[in-house]
Amino acid sequence: MGSTVSVLAYDGMTAFEAGIVIEVFGLVWPDIDQPWYELKVCTETPDPIRVIGGATMSSPYGLADFAAADTVVVPSVADPRAATSPALIEALQQAHRNGARVVSICSGAFALAAAGLLDGRRATTHWRYTDLLRERYPAVVVDAEPLYTDDGDILTSAGCAAGLDLALHLVRTDMGASVANAVARRLVIQPHRTGGQAQYIESPMPPEPLDDPVGRSLAWAAEHIHEPIGVADLARVAGLSQRTYLRHFVRSTGTTPSKWLTTQRIQAALVMLETSAAPVEEIATAVGFATAVTFRHHFAKALHTSPSAYRNTFRTAQSKSPSPAGTGKGLAGGGGGI
């Protein structure tokens, strides 16, 4: 059995918030041959909680079980402006003292901040609440840009759907890119979304055409990732001028074509590093980097390690008794040229 994960359920929540964690960490996929996590849904009191929509739920697990897990998740809070209960604060602090990986999704960052766990740490939350988080907890280094942050034992994500990005990141950290990609395919979502949450902030924008030219170009680029690809190539596939294409691309993805391609190439390289003995130079060429030096540069910038060190660490972890309780740095959005 893999490591334990606990998620907090509370009165007035939506089922989706806890459901993200339940789906990724609680559901055992029969076609993924890997010891999985042991999930516990926990509540502050033994009383049934009310879920939005009129349903109720209860759990035999309380805050003691919540704090005892290897990874504890606060999916959100009922009201970011309200005080966090002393019992939950103590449970979070105890989990941290135990060496747990403490995770928040959306407004759950306010509970972590109330427990003092985000002091001096970089953290994010839903873009609607970033200013409030700064105001209430000035010791927190609030970053409104990313979909999620990873500070080793403390991880936070933006809005609820970004919790899926963070959950996949945790699986990727624990079990490798191939397993995370398999989970993403089951969920019919991208294994790693590029860009930040700025692309989702409310702003007037015209509707996209039914035939999305940017999406068409991204699908083409994924199939030709081993080839040199420039903005002119992407614009040609999209049927747009380069200037128009760049404007649509940034609006659609929240990043640039250069950074998006770099991220996709690193993602492809992760699978090859984990599943093959191919030399780094060969992998660099296979995923579209001009040289091994360029590949190593972008890989280190994104994952804070080298390709060889990643391969050795992953294989060492796989050779031991499987226990997905590790922590680490995830992709930081890539960078550099095409």
Side-chain angles (χ1 to χ4, degrees), residues 166-258:
L166 180 50
L168 284 177
H169 167 66
L170 292 172
V171 174
R172 187 183 305 115
T173 299
D174 294 340
M175 302 186 188
S178 59
V179 175
N181 291 350
V183 174
R185 285 194 296 273
R186 305 309 182 275
L187 297 174
V188 198
I189 60 175
Q190 294 175 319
H192 178 82
R193 281 195 294 169
T194 52
Q197 61 174 321
Q199 60 190 297
Y200 304 106
I201 296 175
E202 291 176 349
S203 59
M205 59 177 61
E208 290 287 350
L210 293 177
D211 179 19
D212 177 18
V214 172
R216 186 168 63 248
S217 70
L218 296 186
W220 175 86
E223 294 176 356
H224 296 78
I225 199 69
H226 59 286
E227 302 175 6
I229 299 173
V231 174
D233 301 308
L234 296 170
R236 174 179 51 79
V237 173
L240 301 171
S241 70
Q242 292 188 42
R243 182 174 180 179
T244 300
Y245 179 80
L246 284 171
R247 185 173 67 252
H248 281 267
F249 189 98
V250 173
R251 190 180 68 188
S252 297
T253 69
T255 189
T256 65
S258 172

Side-chain angles (χ1 to χ4, degrees), residues 6 61 85 99 120 122 237 245 257 264 273 289-292 303 313 326-327 333:
S6 63
Y61 303 114
S85 74
R122 176 171 166 262
V237 173
Y245 179 80
Q264 302 309 307
L273 288 167
F289 285 101
T291 67
L303 275 80
T313 299
T327 60

Side-chain angles (χ1 to χ4, degrees), residues 23 42 45 54 65 72 74 80-81 92 107 118 132 138 161-162 253 264:
E23 182 79 9
C42 306
T45 70
D65 303 286
V72 303
V74 181
R81 294 169 178 79
L92 287 167
S107 61
L118 299 184
L132 180 62
T253 69
Q264 302 309 307

Side-chain angles (χ1 to χ4, degrees), residues 112-128:
L112 272 59
L117 302 185
L118 299 184
D119 288 357
R121 302 266 197 151
R122 176 171 166 262
T124 194
T125 187
H126 193 287
W127 56 265
R128 284 183 176 273

Side-chain angles (χ1 to χ4, degrees), residues 7-51:
V7 58
L8 181 71
Y10 60 87
D11 200 59
M13 70 181 301
T14 70
F16 178 64
E17 293 165 346
I20 291 169
V21 181
I22 295 170
E23 182 79 9
V24 174
F25 300 104
L27 185 60
V28 177
W29 305 97
D31 54 341
I32 297 179
D33 184 19
Q34 184 86 11
W36 210 242
Y37 304 85
E38 178 184 353
L39 176 71
K40 292 182 179 179
V41 179
C42 306
T43 56
E44 285 197 43
T45 70
D47 300 326
I49 65 167
R50 293 163 295 177
V51 178

